[in-house]
Amino acid sequence: MAKRSLSSLSTEDLSGKRVLVRVDFNVPLNKEGSITDDTRIRAALPTINDLVGKGARVILAAHFGRPKGQVNDGMRLTPVAKRLSDLLGKTVEKSDSCVGSDAEAKVQAMNNGDIVLLENVRFFSDEENNDAEFAKKLASLAEVYVNDAFGAAHRAHASTEGVTKFLSPSVAGYLMEKELQYLQGAIDEPKRPLAAIVGGSKVSSKIGVLESLIDKCDKVLIGGGMIFTFYKARGLSVGKSLVEEDKLDLAKALEEKAKLKGVQLLLPTDVVLADDFAPDANSQVASIDSIPAGWMGLDIGPASVKVFQESLADCGTVIWNGPMGVFEFDRFANGTNSIAQTLASLSSKGCCTIIGGGDSVAAVEKAGLAEKMAHISTGGGASLELLEGKVLPGVAALDEVA
């Protein structure tokens, strides 16, 4: 069912109302405590600005890191409040706690258009336990609920799911709406041919998504460390490459499933090898049936890049999740960078290119091509679960379109 969005609420609905907005501000910090990438904060601005413009009193709830239910001074949201203030050009007050007297006092003092950022909700174990009393306390600060934290939507926590039982309406923010529109749309009503590029080091972390994508896609292209489990399952020698011995039967089954369904399952035909897992390792290109002992595969090879590019050329929709190799090492980044450039080029020709969260987002940003993609997902686990066809609790809890 389609979920009700913030766009359905007018100034009349929101002016003077206290609105609890769940955002995903789990941003990386350096050792000095400065934010190194504010993408997630920027992604929430359309929702925040819309609410401010409609005269709402905006109460932001977020988590940061994994404090495990304990107050941790290194995981306070102070740097986030500062960066958000800079981005908005207005003061964002921060409470000392997400519930209790300080939060209540700061909310009470709000005027229309003001913004308060509540302290890290995960300082309370009740948040992750989705405790009903804690959810009720959090909800009591507000009258309306907006969930714009797609990156946390696969968790049934108090601030993502529990509060909806006490607040009405409960709607999707603009980022959440966009994520669902692209990711759900790509699976349910794609412009075909639909291709998925799945990378990363382990088959085990992508089993569900691979099975689901083979059911829905016309083509599935596999790269990253997981390819060696498929090769070993075929009886090939893989040298020192990463292999999940307990997933060999699964790899065979996935290839068989694709064949039965008439889905083109492409694995690289050549790989870039290294004699050590290091940025300055010696390297060589080898065909997949002649990988020497003592060498490990760290990228897809140049011939494979060409085959992948040819396969993608006629696609209407491409979903990419996971790098083709160890792109953090420049010597082994060509496969990942080439795929990023290919997708950027396809985007300009009208192909719907979706970067489905995680390391592939970092790879596209490192290549300076983020702006060229149709959609870059802010969710790692949430994107994967949605692509697997799972119901996300944070989405399910929102009001449906009447």
Side-chain angles (χ1 to χ4, degrees), residues 84-141:
L84 186 58
S85 297
D86 293 344
L87 289 170
L88 291 167
K90 67 180 288 169
T91 304
V92 174
E93 288 283 345
K94 191 187 76 69
S95 67
D96 296 337
S97 174
C98 62
V99 290
S101 58
D102 183 64
E104 287 162 17
K106 284 198 167 68
V107 167
Q108 205 61 48
M110 291 176 88
N111 293 311
N112 293 3
D114 282 355
I115 303 167
V116 167
L117 173 63
L118 302 176
E119 186 54 275
N120 195 339
V121 288
R122 287 193 186 168
F123 283 175
F124 292 84
S125 56
D126 290 342
E127 157 68 3
E128 292 184 80
N129 296 334
N130 199 4
D131 178 81
E133 277 308 306
F134 177 73
K136 193 175 181 180
K137 264 188 219 167
L138 201 53
S140 71
L141 296 169

Side-chain angles (χ1 to χ4, degrees), residues 338-367:
S338 298
I339 293 300
Q341 281 152 6
T342 302
L343 295 198
S345 163
L346 287 172
S347 275
S348 68
K349 295 170 188 159
C351 174
C352 179
T353 51
I354 298 165
I355 314 303
D359 284 343
S360 23
V361 175
V364 166
E365 284 174 348
K366 191 179 176 195

Side-chain angles (χ1 to χ4, degrees), residues 38-319:
D38 64 3
T39 305
R40 286 180 168 179
I41 302 175
R42 288 176 186 274
L45 295 181
T47 291
I48 296 168
N49 282 324
D50 185 64
L51 287 164
V52 168
K54 287 174 178 169
R57 301 174 183 198
V58 184
I59 306 157
L60 303 172
H63 74 276
F64 183 80
R66 292 183 176 158
K68 299 183 176 162
Q70 303 288 323
V71 172
N72 180 326
D73 286 337
M75 293 181 191
R76 289 194 178 276
L77 288 166
T78 312
V80 174
K82 185 183 180 314
R83 178 62 61 92
L84 186 58
S85 297
D86 293 344
L87 289 170
L88 291 167
K90 67 180 288 169
T91 304
V92 174
E93 288 283 345
K94 191 187 76 69
S95 67
D96 296 337
S97 174
C98 62
V99 290
S101 58
D102 183 64
E104 287 162 17
K106 284 198 167 68
V107 167
Q108 205 61 48
M110 291 176 88
N111 293 311
N112 293 3
D114 282 355
I115 303 167
V116 167
L117 173 63
L118 302 176
E119 186 54 275
N120 195 339
V121 288
R122 287 193 186 168
F123 283 175
F124 292 84
S125 56
D126 290 342
E127 157 68 3
E128 292 184 80
N129 296 334
N130 199 4
D131 178 81
E133 277 308 306
F134 177 73
K136 193 175 181 180
K137 264 188 219 167
L138 201 53
S140 71
L141 296 169
E143 299 155 277
V144 175
Y145 177 68
V146 176
N147 192 345
D148 213 26
F150 177 73
H154 59 313
R155 309 285 187 209
H157 291 171
S159 67
T160 61
E161 199 264 355
V163 291
T164 64
K165 296 178 175 69
F166 307 99
L167 292 169
S168 180
S170 288
V171 303
Y174 293 120
L175 174 63
M176 177 76 83
E177 185 181 25
K178 188 181 177 210
E179 292 274 17
L180 296 174
Q181 180 192 334
Y182 273 99
L183 290 168
Q184 198 82 62
I187 291 298
D188 296 344
E189 295 168 6
K191 194 162 66 166
R192 292 190 181 271
L194 166 62
I197 309 165
V198 182
S201 57
K202 294 183 173 180
V203 185
S204 54
S205 61
K206 303 279 170 87
I207 294 169
V209 84
L210 278 169
E211 288 180 331
S212 173
L213 290 170
I214 289 169
D215 278 335
K216 289 164 180 154
C217 291
D218 303 296
K219 310 175 188 194
V220 176
L221 289 62
I222 301 178
M226 71 170 83
I227 59 178
F228 300 102
T229 300
F230 285 88
Y231 297 148
K232 181 132 191 209
R234 290 179 184 178
L236 296 171
S237 296
V238 295
K240 280 199 304 184
S241 305
L242 179 72
V243 170
E244 289 179 281
E245 299 286 348
D246 61 338
K247 295 291 179 281
L248 298 178
D249 289 342
L250 175 78
K252 280 184 201 160
L254 287 169
E255 288 210 62
E256 195 55 40
K257 180 178 179 176
K259 197 189 268 181
L260 287 171
K261 287 193 159 284
V263 172
Q264 189 183 11
L265 184 77
L266 279 180
L267 284 156
T269 52
D270 66 337
V271 289
V272 183
L273 300 170
D275 60 356
D276 189 18
F277 189 81
D280 57 353
N282 294 309
S283 64
Q284 61 169 307
V285 175
S287 164
I288 59 163
D289 50 16
S290 57
I291 297 174
W295 289 72
M296 65 183 83
L298 295 188
D299 195 12
I300 65 173
S304 304
V305 167
K306 282 204 178 93
V307 172
F308 279 19
Q309 286 170 331
E310 283 160 16
S311 175
L312 294 167
D314 67 341
C315 289
T317 308
V318 180
I319 302 164

